Amino acid sequence: SAARVGRIHTPHGVIDTPGYVAVGTNAALKSVSHRELAAAGVDLMFANTYHLTLQPGPELVAAAGGLHGFIGRDGPIITDSGGFQVFSLSRPSAEDGLEMKSRRPSKQKGDEGLLIRTNEHGVLFKSYRDGAHVALTPESSVEAQKLLGADIIIPLDELPPYHIDRDALERSVYMSHRWEARSLQTHLADVRQQAMYAVIHGGVDADLRRMSVEYLSSLPFDGFAIGGSLGKDTAELVAVLAFLMPLLPKDRPNHLLGIGDVGSILGSIPLGIDTFDSTFPTRNARHGQLLTRTRGGVQSS
């Protein structure tokens, strides 16, 4: 086994690894207090820049003392770039990979979704709240995360679908690299005791994954998130990680983005994953499902 035990030190506390990261989409976990999180041994909480940008806005959160003051949390927080949510605004497909299965048609507006345009500059999309056009760039994403004040932040990247052809995937990886370099440059101009994780891309293509690791590990990122399409099922996810994990620098932490079901956890920790986030556990709990060692998932009445 390549499983590892570690401690990540942040301005708001220590994160023991390996560990699950609870997802509070709007900086809050429904029906779960921070005290209950701590009692359950959950050190790190995830909040989504996309949702917080649309409501209530990073400026308001900053005026309230950043996310820690806004939600009354003393522990570590990580925010994403907003990219995952933006790219999930395109129409769902039956060929979506494991990381995009949470997309539902009910989240879309109209036949074409809410994503308007993606280019070198960034992304333009419609707000699901009022239809207003919103631009997200590598620079504006980092600036928003500076106002939110999380301990760990993520650069903007593109999330191509699982079924994309190889040439298009390669173009996407290169653009994500350019976006991430711009994000890092903005971050380093005003660090504010925040750490930034690079996002490794390449889909299920081994050569592109290797190239992504080699390029991003040459830049002064503080850790590495594993993103992009990770396969159509858990078996393919584990196969991607089995190839990828030995390539990552051992002296920096890593995070598996958007994956947190039981099978994936059991498959990824022995490969050296430090932290992983997903709405899976809290969503299932809200809907009355219990996870048991002997009977699997059990629906409560």
Side-chain angles (χ1 to χ4, degrees), residues 1-9 14-19 43 245 250-254 268-276:
S1 171
R4 60 190 209 166
V5 175
R7 308 194 87 194
I8 303 170
H9 295 264
V14 174
I15 304 162
D16 288 313
T17 67
D43 298 321
M245 295 306 296
K250 300 297 186 291
D251 61 343
R252 282 175 274 181
N254 65 70
S268 63
I269 288 179
L271 298 174
I273 291 294
D274 293 327
T275 53
F276 39 86

Side-chain angles (χ1 to χ4, degrees), residues 9 16 33 41 52 68 79 88 95 121 134 140 147 161 177 185 216 231 236 241:
H9 295 264
D16 288 313
S33 69
L52 292 167
H68 293 89
T79 49
S88 71
E95 297 179 312
H121 180 67
V134 181
S140 68
L147 292 173
H177 286 175
Q185 185 176 27
L216 293 172
E236 193 165 21
L241 294 178

Side-chain angles (χ1 to χ4, degrees), residues 158 160-161 163-175 208:
E158 185 180 26
H163 53 80
I164 192 172
D165 68 71
R166 210 276 185 181
D167 289 342
L169 176 60
E170 184 174 18
R171 290 193 297 272
S172 174
V173 171
Y174 279 122
M175 186 167 73
L208 290 178

Side-chain angles (χ1 to χ4, degrees), residues 30-92:
K30 296 177 181 178
S31 305
V32 181
S33 69
H34 297 300
R35 182 177 299 175
E36 290 171 308
L37 271 185
V42 178
D43 298 321
L44 183 59
M45 175 180 167
F46 208 107
N48 297 122
T49 296
Y50 164 81
H51 291 285
L52 292 167
T53 295
L54 297 181
Q55 175 73 20
E59 293 80 9
L60 189 149
V61 173
L67 281 174
H68 293 89
F70 186 65
I71 65 176
R73 176 172 170 78
D74 293 329
I77 298 174
I78 178 173
T79 49
D80 62 0
S81 67
F84 173 83
Q85 286 76 26
V86 168
F87 289 107
S88 71
L89 296 175
S90 59
R91 297 300 298 175

Side-chain angles (χ1 to χ4, degrees), residues 19-260:
Y20 164 68
V21 181
V23 178
T25 301
N26 290 297
L29 291 172
K30 296 177 181 178
S31 305
V32 181
S33 69
H34 297 300
R35 182 177 299 175
E36 290 171 308
L37 271 185
V42 178
D43 298 321
L44 183 59
M45 175 180 167
F46 208 107
N48 297 122
T49 296
Y50 164 81
H51 291 285
L52 292 167
T53 295
L54 297 181
Q55 175 73 20
E59 293 80 9
L60 189 149
V61 173
L67 281 174
H68 293 89
F70 186 65
I71 65 176
R73 176 172 170 78
D74 293 329
I77 298 174
I78 178 173
T79 49
D80 62 0
S81 67
F84 173 83
Q85 286 76 26
V86 168
F87 289 107
S88 71
L89 296 175
S90 59
R91 297 300 298 175
S93 165
E95 297 179 312
D96 282 340
L98 187 65
E99 73 292 335
M100 297 297 281
K101 292 302 184 183
S102 64
R103 291 201 292 175
R104 298 187 304 272
S106 60
K107 292 182 179 179
Q108 318 302 323
K109 305 293 183 183
D111 292 335
E112 301 302 323
L114 297 173
L115 180 61
I116 300 173
R117 181 174 66 246
T118 303
N119 58 27
E120 194 68 36
H121 180 67
V123 184
L124 184 68
F125 63 95
K126 293 180 184 178
S127 168
Y128 68 86
R129 298 183 60 82
D130 57 10
H133 287 199
V134 181
L136 185 68
T137 69
E139 294 79 13
S140 68
S141 172
V142 174
E143 289 162 0
Q145 292 181 82
K146 294 295 175 184
L147 292 173
L148 296 174
D151 299 274
I152 303 169
I153 63 177
I154 301 293
L156 184 65
D157 59 326
E158 185 180 26
L159 180 59
Y162 171 74
H163 53 80
I164 192 172
D165 68 71
R166 210 276 185 181
D167 289 342
L169 176 60
E170 184 174 18
R171 290 193 297 272
S172 174
V173 171
Y174 279 122
M175 186 167 73
S176 282
H177 286 175
R178 293 191 295 272
W179 282 2
E180 292 188 55
R182 286 165 54 189
S183 298
L184 180 62
Q185 185 176 27
T186 303
H187 165 62
L188 292 177
D190 184 17
V191 174
R192 301 193 192 186
Q193 292 189 300
Q194 292 174 304
M196 177 177 275
Y197 285 13
V199 183
I200 305 296
H201 273 276
V204 297
D205 187 288
D207 291 336
L208 290 178
R209 284 285 180 182
R210 183 188 297 276
M211 181 268 290
S212 188
V213 171
E214 290 174 352
Y215 172 69
L216 293 172
S217 62
S218 73
L219 301 179
F221 285 102
D222 301 293
F224 299 93
I226 300 164
S229 178
L230 293 161
K232 63 182 180 295
D233 54 30
T234 299
E236 193 165 21
L237 162 73
V238 171
V240 170
L241 294 178
F243 167 80
L244 176 63
M245 295 306 296
L247 305 178
L248 293 180
K250 300 297 186 291
D251 61 343
R252 282 175 274 181
N254 65 70
H255 179 86
L256 182 59
L257 284 164
I259 303 292

Side-chain angles (χ1 to χ4, degrees), residues 262 266 290-298:
V262 174
L266 295 177
L290 306 176
L291 301 179
T292 70
R293 293 181 182 273
T294 57
R295 298 174 58 193
V298 176

